[in-house]
Amino acid sequence: MYLLFCPCIREPGLRASGITHERDILAFDQALSRCRSYGIDVRFLPCPEILYLGAGRSPATFSERLDTPDYRHLLDQMEWEVRSMIADLGEPYAIVGVDSSPTCGVNKNWRSPAGREAGRGVFLDRFPEIPAYDVYTVAMSRIYLAGPLFSEAERTWNIRLAQYLRSNAYDVYLPQEIGDSSASRGMDAHLEIFSRNLSALETSDIVVAVIDGADADSGTSWEMGYAFAKEVPVIAVRTDFRIVGATEHVNLMLERSAVVTHNLEELRDALPCPIPVSCSSPGTKEQES
């Protein structure tokens, strides 16, 4: 298995002039870095726009410059090339595109000057059977795993969760792995752990939080609230079947600020772009299509 990437993710210069910003470059780099870190096989689609309009082109919608018989013919040819590659390699796990592109958008595209439309761009639309993710979604790969860590059972469950997340190509920060696992520590250690945990929260794309127990752990609750205030998505995991009210499992403020899941399968469904490491080949390089 492998991922099919739109080529401008590796070579932003293929895009129209002036539309690529620093945050885009960071997302492109992080998505590719995620694949390199886990040895995920990456292949690149051809770029119809660069072949049809050339480099250094000004931005334009599909209807303005691409809605022509020649461009459709070019898309026919490129679709055949990609499907020939798929026949040789097997079905890809997913396509990674760039939202708003009239050609390679995933959730939205720019087909007319009237504004962005929902749906795939005209090239990715030719592969409806293959799941597709926007590159920003794939780039969301850094997870802060929050949860109580005071008993062997709690630490064992945290490790299992971390391993599960890493098996889906996520970079997981788990506080107990950096020394936050003992009561016998001084103030210097307290300050260092707080600083490291806070730094990890600041740079995380997602927080996964364990909220088992009669009441959620206070440190976990703080981390969830901090993430919510920073607009970082929070996914809560509660395997505990106890409830505190007719519509609450543990605490309405925590539940309303997170997506609550109850097992590993639900957790995976809630993640923005899980990529099973089984679709990787250690040491695989990014390859041309």
PDB file of all heavy atoms in Angstrom, residues 241-256:
ATOM      1  N   PHE A 241     -17.938   2.667  32.089  1.00  0.00           N
ATOM      2  CA  PHE A 241     -19.367   2.697  31.752  1.00  0.00           C
ATOM      3  C   PHE A 241     -20.204   3.499  32.734  1.00  0.00           C
ATOM      4  O   PHE A 241     -21.406   3.672  32.548  1.00  0.00           O
ATOM      5  CB  PHE A 241     -19.933   1.277  31.614  1.00  0.00           C
ATOM      6  CG  PHE A 241     -19.833   0.431  32.850  1.00  0.00           C
ATOM      7  CD1 PHE A 241     -20.714   0.589  33.907  1.00  0.00           C
ATOM      8  CD2 PHE A 241     -18.847  -0.547  32.954  1.00  0.00           C
ATOM      9  CE1 PHE A 241     -20.621  -0.200  35.035  1.00  0.00           C
ATOM     10  CE2 PHE A 241     -18.751  -1.339  34.080  1.00  0.00           C
ATOM     11  CZ  PHE A 241     -19.636  -1.166  35.133  1.00  0.00           C
ATOM     12  N   ARG A 242     -19.599   4.004  33.810  1.00  0.00           N
ATOM     13  CA  ARG A 242     -20.368   4.802  34.771  1.00  0.00           C
ATOM     14  C   ARG A 242     -20.778   6.144  34.170  1.00  0.00           C
ATOM     15  O   ARG A 242     -20.070   6.695  33.331  1.00  0.00           O
ATOM     16  CB  ARG A 242     -19.526   5.044  36.026  1.00  0.00           C
ATOM     17  CG  ARG A 242     -19.335   3.801  36.881  1.00  0.00           C
ATOM     18  CD  ARG A 242     -18.364   4.060  38.012  1.00  0.00           C
ATOM     19  NE  ARG A 242     -16.990   4.206  37.533  1.00  0.00           N
ATOM     20  CZ  ARG A 242     -15.938   4.344  38.336  1.00  0.00           C
ATOM     21  NH1 ARG A 242     -16.110   4.387  39.652  1.00  0.00           N
ATOM     22  NH2 ARG A 242     -14.727   4.442  37.828  1.00  0.00           N
ATOM     23  N   ILE A 243     -21.931   6.643  34.596  1.00  0.00           N
ATOM     24  CA  ILE A 243     -22.403   7.949  34.148  1.00  0.00           C
ATOM     25  C   ILE A 243     -22.755   8.785  35.377  1.00  0.00           C
ATOM     26  O   ILE A 243     -23.062   8.250  36.447  1.00  0.00           O
ATOM     27  CB  ILE A 243     -23.622   7.846  33.210  1.00  0.00           C
ATOM     28  CG1 ILE A 243     -24.796   7.153  33.902  1.00  0.00           C
ATOM     29  CG2 ILE A 243     -23.245   7.120  31.919  1.00  0.00           C
ATOM     30  CD1 ILE A 243     -26.062   7.143  33.069  1.00  0.00           C
ATOM     31  N   VAL A 244     -22.718  10.110  35.206  1.00  0.00           N
ATOM     32  CA  VAL A 244     -23.024  11.002  36.332  1.00  0.00           C
ATOM     33  C   VAL A 244     -24.375  11.683  36.173  1.00  0.00           C
ATOM     34  O   VAL A 244     -24.819  12.399  37.062  1.00  0.00           O
ATOM     35  CB  VAL A 244     -21.918  12.072  36.494  1.00  0.00           C
ATOM     36  CG1 VAL A 244     -20.586  11.423  36.776  1.00  0.00           C
ATOM     37  CG2 VAL A 244     -21.832  12.976  35.265  1.00  0.00           C
ATOM     38  N   GLY A 245     -25.010  11.463  35.041  1.00  0.00           N
ATOM     39  CA  GLY A 245     -26.313  12.087  34.805  1.00  0.00           C
ATOM     40  C   GLY A 245     -26.953  11.499  33.565  1.00  0.00           C
ATOM     41  O   GLY A 245     -26.352  10.698  32.849  1.00  0.00           O
ATOM     42  N   ALA A 246     -28.169  11.914  33.291  1.00  0.00           N
ATOM     43  CA  ALA A 246     -28.908  11.354  32.153  1.00  0.00           C
ATOM     44  C   ALA A 246     -28.206  11.606  30.830  1.00  0.00           C
ATOM     45  O   ALA A 246     -28.299  10.798  29.901  1.00  0.00           O
ATOM     46  CB  ALA A 246     -30.317  11.940  32.129  1.00  0.00           C
ATOM     47  N   THR A 247     -27.492  12.725  30.720  1.00  0.00           N
ATOM     48  CA  THR A 247     -26.831  13.070  29.459  1.00  0.00           C
ATOM     49  C   THR A 247     -25.329  13.282  29.618  1.00  0.00           C
ATOM     50  O   THR A 247     -24.679  13.772  28.709  1.00  0.00           O
ATOM     51  CB  THR A 247     -27.453  14.349  28.859  1.00  0.00           C
ATOM     52  OG1 THR A 247     -27.330  15.423  29.807  1.00  0.00           O
ATOM     53  CG2 THR A 247     -28.911  14.125  28.504  1.00  0.00           C
ATOM     54  N   GLU A 248     -24.787  12.926  30.772  1.00  0.00           N
ATOM     55  CA  GLU A 248     -23.355  13.110  31.013  1.00  0.00           C
ATOM     56  C   GLU A 248     -22.701  11.803  31.418  1.00  0.00           C
ATOM     57  O   GLU A 248     -23.248  11.051  32.219  1.00  0.00           O
ATOM     58  CB  GLU A 248     -23.112  14.112  32.156  1.00  0.00           C
ATOM     59  CG  GLU A 248     -23.424  15.553  31.831  1.00  0.00           C
ATOM     60  CD  GLU A 248     -23.233  16.413  33.073  1.00  0.00           C
ATOM     61  OE1 GLU A 248     -22.083  16.604  33.504  1.00  0.00           O
ATOM     62  OE2 GLU A 248     -24.250  16.877  33.629  1.00  0.00           O
ATOM     63  N   HIS A 249     -21.519  11.551  30.864  1.00  0.00           N
ATOM     64  CA  HIS A 249     -20.738  10.412  31.305  1.00  0.00           C
ATOM     65  C   HIS A 249     -19.820  10.803  32.457  1.00  0.00           C
ATOM     66  O   HIS A 249     -19.652  10.056  33.411  1.00  0.00           O
ATOM     67  CB  HIS A 249     -19.914   9.844  30.149  1.00  0.00           C
ATOM     68  CG  HIS A 249     -20.731   9.096  29.156  1.00  0.00           C
ATOM     69  ND1 HIS A 249     -21.313   9.692  28.070  1.00  0.00           N
ATOM     70  CD2 HIS A 249     -21.095   7.794  29.103  1.00  0.00           C
ATOM     71  CE1 HIS A 249     -21.994   8.797  27.379  1.00  0.00           C
ATOM     72  NE2 HIS A 249     -21.875   7.631  27.983  1.00  0.00           N
ATOM     73  N   VAL A 250     -19.207  11.997  32.348  1.00  0.00           N
ATOM     74  CA  VAL A 250     -18.260  12.385  33.388  1.00  0.00           C
ATOM     75  C   VAL A 250     -18.386  13.862  33.764  1.00  0.00           C
ATOM     76  O   VAL A 250     -18.488  14.195  34.928  1.00  0.00           O
ATOM     77  CB  VAL A 250     -16.812  12.013  32.975  1.00  0.00           C
ATOM     78  CG1 VAL A 250     -16.401  12.662  31.675  1.00  0.00           C
ATOM     79  CG2 VAL A 250     -15.823  12.366  34.086  1.00  0.00           C
ATOM     80  N   ASN A 251     -18.383  14.765  32.792  1.00  0.00           N
ATOM     81  CA  ASN A 251     -18.440  16.196  33.083  1.00  0.00           C
ATOM     82  C   ASN A 251     -18.819  16.921  31.803  1.00  0.00           C
ATOM     83  O   ASN A 251     -18.174  16.759  30.771  1.00  0.00           O
ATOM     84  CB  ASN A 251     -17.083  16.681  33.585  1.00  0.00           C
ATOM     85  CG  ASN A 251     -17.056  18.173  33.839  1.00  0.00           C
ATOM     86  OD1 ASN A 251     -16.953  18.963  32.909  1.00  0.00           O
ATOM     87  ND2 ASN A 251     -17.150  18.565  35.106  1.00  0.00           N
ATOM     88  N   LEU A 252     -19.864  17.726  31.881  1.00  0.00           N
ATOM     89  CA  LEU A 252     -20.382  18.345  30.653  1.00  0.00           C
ATOM     90  C   LEU A 252     -19.366  19.278  29.995  1.00  0.00           C
ATOM     91  O   LEU A 252     -19.298  19.375  28.768  1.00  0.00           O
ATOM     92  CB  LEU A 252     -21.701  19.059  30.922  1.00  0.00           C
ATOM     93  CG  LEU A 252     -21.701  20.395  31.664  1.00  0.00           C
ATOM     94  CD1 LEU A 252     -21.546  21.564  30.687  1.00  0.00           C
ATOM     95  CD2 LEU A 252     -22.986  20.566  32.459  1.00  0.00           C
ATOM     96  N   MET A 253     -18.534  19.980  30.775  1.00  0.00           N
ATOM     97  CA  MET A 253     -17.567  20.899  30.196  1.00  0.00           C
ATOM     98  C   MET A 253     -16.504  20.148  29.403  1.00  0.00           C
ATOM     99  O   MET A 253     -16.069  20.595  28.329  1.00  0.00           O
ATOM    100  CB  MET A 253     -16.907  21.759  31.280  1.00  0.00           C
ATOM    101  CG  MET A 253     -17.897  22.658  32.019  1.00  0.00           C
ATOM    102  SD  MET A 253     -18.743  23.823  30.921  1.00  0.00           S
ATOM    103  CE  MET A 253     -17.416  24.968  30.554  1.00  0.00           C
ATOM    104  N   LEU A 254     -16.093  19.005  29.919  1.00  0.00           N
ATOM    105  CA  LEU A 254     -15.112  18.189  29.195  1.00  0.00           C
ATOM    106  C   LEU A 254     -15.751  17.552  27.964  1.00  0.00           C
ATOM    107  O   LEU A 254     -15.155  17.534  26.881  1.00  0.00           O
ATOM    108  CB  LEU A 254     -14.547  17.103  30.114  1.00  0.00           C
ATOM    109  CG  LEU A 254     -13.764  17.569  31.342  1.00  0.00           C
ATOM    110  CD1 LEU A 254     -13.228  16.371  32.104  1.00  0.00           C
ATOM    111  CD2 LEU A 254     -12.624  18.504  30.950  1.00  0.00           C
ATOM    112  N   GLU A 255     -16.952  17.056  28.121  1.00  0.00           N
ATOM    113  CA  GLU A 255     -17.601  16.355  27.022  1.00  0.00           C
ATOM    114  C   GLU A 255     -17.981  17.302  25.886  1.00  0.00           C
ATOM    115  O   GLU A 255     -17.910  16.936  24.710  1.00  0.00           O
ATOM    116  CB  GLU A 255     -18.823  15.599  27.539  1.00  0.00           C
ATOM    117  CG  GLU A 255     -18.462  14.444  28.452  1.00  0.00           C
ATOM    118  CD  GLU A 255     -19.689  13.759  29.047  1.00  0.00           C
ATOM    119  OE1 GLU A 255     -20.763  13.786  28.402  1.00  0.00           O
ATOM    120  OE2 GLU A 255     -19.572  13.211  30.155  1.00  0.00           O
ATOM    121  N   ARG A 256     -18.391  18.520  26.214  1.00  0.00           N
ATOM    122  CA  ARG A 256     -18.781  19.480  25.177  1.00  0.00           C
ATOM    123  C   ARG A 256     -17.560  20.053  24.455  1.00  0.00           C
ATOM    124  O   ARG A 256     -17.700  20.624  23.365  1.00  0.00           O
ATOM    125  CB  ARG A 256     -19.586  20.625  25.775  1.00  0.00           C
ATOM    126  CG  ARG A 256     -20.954  20.289  26.321  1.00  0.00           C
ATOM    127  CD  ARG A 256     -21.841  19.634  25.282  1.00  0.00           C
ATOM    128  NE  ARG A 256     -21.812  18.172  25.386  1.00  0.00           N
ATOM    129  CZ  ARG A 256     -22.249  17.349  24.469  1.00  0.00           C
ATOM    130  NH1 ARG A 256     -22.744  17.800  23.339  1.00  0.00           N
ATOM    131  NH2 ARG A 256     -22.196  16.038  24.665  1.00  0.00           N
TER     132      ARG A 256
END
